[in-house]
Amino acid sequence: MTDVHFDSGFERKLYAILDPTEANYHPTDCRLYYSIESRYEPDWVVWNDDGTTTFVEAKGRFRDASEPRKYKAVRDGLKPTEELVFILQNPNKPYLHAAKEKVDGTKTTIGEWCDNNGFTWYTAETLPEHWRRKL
């Protein structure tokens, strides 16, 4: 049993009980794919003159690990004429409070996360001029 990796002590206990000719533990040829339907409400919507739509999300950092997955799933479900963009409070902050450190000892910032995942992002200072209030 030492060459088998268990996800928990409970799995280790069951491995000793279940007959391997009846129940295969983590078979490599068995993967089940699933999706969870949900809804997302953007913070702002910009209907552009060219007929495209920009969904805008204001973000300081992600609250937990499920949030980055949510935004990637939202993006992946958009039409070609739609885009999800972020306005970041501070692009140099870690994207997740509990983010793991990189080899150099730093944590991935939320700006880097956006760049690495193909999201356009702005700060309050770099917003497109036409999005700003006219004074």
Side-chain angles (χ1 to χ4, degrees):
M1 278 199 313
T2 58
D3 61 334
V4 178
H5 170 76
F6 298 98
D7 296 329
S8 67
F10 184 55
E11 285 187 7
R12 179 184 301 277
K13 181 179 179 178
L14 290 175
Y15 186 85
I17 296 170
L18 291 169
D19 181 345
T21 63
E22 294 294 325
N24 295 313
Y25 182 72
H26 281 262
T28 58
D29 60 346
C30 184
R31 298 291 183 261
L32 305 175
Y33 296 92
Y34 66 94
S35 63
I36 299 172
E37 187 168 330
S38 191
R39 71 168 198 221
Y40 165 69
E41 296 176 11
D43 293 328
W44 286 272
V45 178
V46 177
W47 287 279
N48 303 300
D49 291 339
D50 64 0
T52 62
T53 305
T54 304
F55 302 104
V56 181
E57 180 68 26
K59 193 56 56 190
R61 70 168 68 173
F62 300 126
R63 289 178 295 243
D64 58 49
S66 68
E67 211 172 356
R69 286 191 300 270
K70 173 182 79 174
Y71 292 117
K72 290 192 283 188
V74 168
R75 177 206 52 211
D76 294 347
L78 294 176
K79 299 173 187 169
T81 58
E82 299 171 330
E83 181 181 22
L84 174 62
V85 304
F86 290 91
I87 301 174
L88 303 178
Q89 184 177 19
N90 180 348
N92 300 312
K93 280 203 162 225
Y95 79 103
L96 195 61
H97 180 68
K100 294 180 182 176
E101 288 187 356
K102 297 185 282 187
V103 175
D104 66 2
T106 63
K107 293 183 177 186
T108 300
T109 67
I110 193 159
E112 290 172 328
W113 181 89
C114 287
D115 291 340
N116 294 341
N117 288 281
F119 286 98
T120 300
W121 60 270
Y122 303 101
T123 63
E125 296 76 26
T126 64
L127 288 172
E129 198 59 40
H130 65 280
W131 288 8
R132 296 179 177 278
R133 289 179 189 252
K134 310 301 183 252
L135 299 177

